[in-house]
Amino acid sequence: EAVVLDAGASDRAQLLRDLEETRPKYIIDELGFFNADLSLKSYPELQAFMTAYRPLGTTGRFFVYRRREFSKKYRERHGRAD
């Protein structure tokens, strides 16, 4: 029986720790643009974290996500309901 090791699992675990620690305002995903299977939202260990981010769209070959709490604060400050 073959055992397949996910070499990227430890890297994704480190990425998740870094993201949870820094909670960046924006997250940029380049790989997902070229291959949906490699997008940040495609990995189960990152999916829960990424629910705190709203997709803004693409710019060039990058998917851009913004932390939802910033979106909410902006709308509240500027009287927008969207």
Side-chain angles (χ1 to χ4, degrees), residues 18-78:
D18 291 345
L19 289 171
E20 289 174 337
E21 182 179 314
T22 61
R23 294 187 32 133
K25 182 176 181 178
Y26 294 98
I27 293 178
I28 309 299
D29 178 2
E30 181 179 21
L31 286 176
F33 187 82
F34 296 104
N35 184 340
D37 292 336
L38 299 176
S39 75
L40 289 172
K41 295 176 111 178
S42 70
Y43 294 101
E45 61 266 51
L46 297 173
Q47 287 174 350
F49 180 83
M50 289 301 291
T51 62
Y53 287 80
R54 178 173 86 79
L56 293 179
T58 61
T59 181
R61 61 183 194 201
F62 304 100
F63 287 118
V64 179
Y65 299 89
R66 182 172 58 188
R67 204 164 72 218
R68 289 181 187 276
E69 73 182 54
F70 279 102
S71 301
K72 182 180 176 186
K73 288 178 185 177
Y74 179 86
R75 287 192 309 269
E76 289 171 351
R77 247 185 264 144
H78 293 86

